[in-house]
Amino acid sequence: MAEEHHGGGGAAAPDIRVEAESSSEQSVASSRGVMPREDCVEGIRSALKHPTVRFLREQMEKAGCQVWPRLIQAATCSTAGGYASREGIKVCCNHMTLQDEINQVIIHELIHAYDDCVTKNMDWKNCAHHACSEIRANHLSGDCHYKRELLRGFMKIRGHEQDCVKRRALMSVKNNPYCSEAASKDAIEAVWNICYNDTRPFDRAP
């Protein structure tokens, strides 16, 4: 999920929040029940030690991106997590049931944060820009690993990963008030090849 606060323009009302819900699909694990907030906060601390989280933060720092102390915060919200320009990442503890979910939310949102920093003239109101970051975040974060897809009830094996990335990217972009469902589909198709194959910063991994 990526979101941006801004001041008007286009057809949407001023100060509207642009949101892209990327984790609204329920998994079998959701039956475990939501973890207590204090466990979620501790889970966020644990996630900071995850190799992929550490790598992404290091790459952001090398790129000159602002990685401030409260970049990642615990929150109560309507989706699993989000990123807002100049505000950082939120992990929605009222949706977390497992440490793996916290790790995945943070990795996904750090990719949005990386894109927001390194992409020239990044505009979350632009459907193609938004679609590109969602494609990258869903692909590179591991959100669409076949084991996670099986837990969500999607049983397809061959070609599952690209189908999952497109499905979850569409879920997000069509919730952007500047992007209709048709415009979201068109944007995903238009940028698919270049964005799906853009593996930055993981192409710099040792």
Side-chain angles (χ1 to χ4, degrees):
M1 174 183 183
E3 56 192 46
E4 178 191 27
H5 300 287
H6 53 84
D15 301 319
I16 196 166
R17 178 189 289 264
V18 177
E19 296 187 349
E21 298 177 4
S22 60
S23 301
S24 60
E25 295 171 312
Q26 296 297 313
S27 70
V28 174
S30 64
S31 63
R32 299 171 184 264
V34 174
M35 65 173 60
R37 183 180 178 85
E38 56 270 23
D39 290 351
C40 178
V41 171
E42 185 58 36
I44 293 171
R45 293 194 186 101
S46 295
L48 297 179
K49 302 173 186 177
H50 188 284
T52 305
V53 173
R54 292 176 62 181
F55 173 77
L56 284 167
R57 289 187 60 149
E58 289 168 1
Q59 292 303 310
M60 289 179 67
E61 290 171 350
K62 288 179 181 179
C65 305
Q66 185 179 17
V67 184
W68 54 96
R70 290 178 61 82
L71 173 67
I72 304 168
Q73 301 184 49
T76 297
C77 33
S78 61
T79 58
Y83 167 75
S85 293
R86 299 175 298 279
E87 291 188 11
I89 292 166
K90 61 183 179 183
V91 176
C92 301
C93 292
N94 53 312
H95 287 269
M96 299 296 103
T97 65
L98 298 168
Q99 180 65 46
D100 179 68
E101 293 173 347
I102 296 174
N103 296 344
Q104 283 305 119
V105 166
I106 292 175
I107 292 167
H108 181 110
E109 304 306 338
L110 278 172
I111 293 169
H112 286 315
Y114 178 88
D115 287 351
D116 196 29
C117 172
V118 304
T119 303
K120 188 175 181 180
N121 300 319
M122 182 69 177
D123 181 3
W124 294 104
K125 301 185 293 293
N126 182 304
C127 302
H129 289 197
H130 189 171
C132 188
S133 190
E134 290 295 349
I135 289 167
R136 282 174 34 77
N138 282 290
H139 174 42
L140 299 175
S141 68
D143 284 342
C144 288
H145 188 280
Y146 78 95
K147 290 182 179 178
R148 292 193 175 89
E149 280 288 86
L150 289 174
L151 287 173
R152 297 178 188 125
F154 294 94
M155 309 302 290
K156 182 178 179 182
I157 301 299
R158 186 179 297 276
H160 82 277
E161 202 270 349
Q162 292 194 13
D163 287 350
C164 170
V165 171
K166 287 182 178 180
R167 183 186 75 246
R168 291 172 65 80
L170 178 61
M171 285 169 54
S172 296
V173 182
K174 72 180 183 181
N175 284 320
N176 182 330
Y178 292 90
C179 305
S180 66
E181 183 166 357
S184 300
K185 289 180 179 179
D186 289 345
I188 290 168
E189 290 302 318
V191 302
W192 175 260
N193 287 335
I194 189 169
C195 297
Y196 184 82
N197 292 301
D198 180 359
T199 59
R200 295 172 303 155
F202 294 97
D203 56 353
R204 301 183 181 93

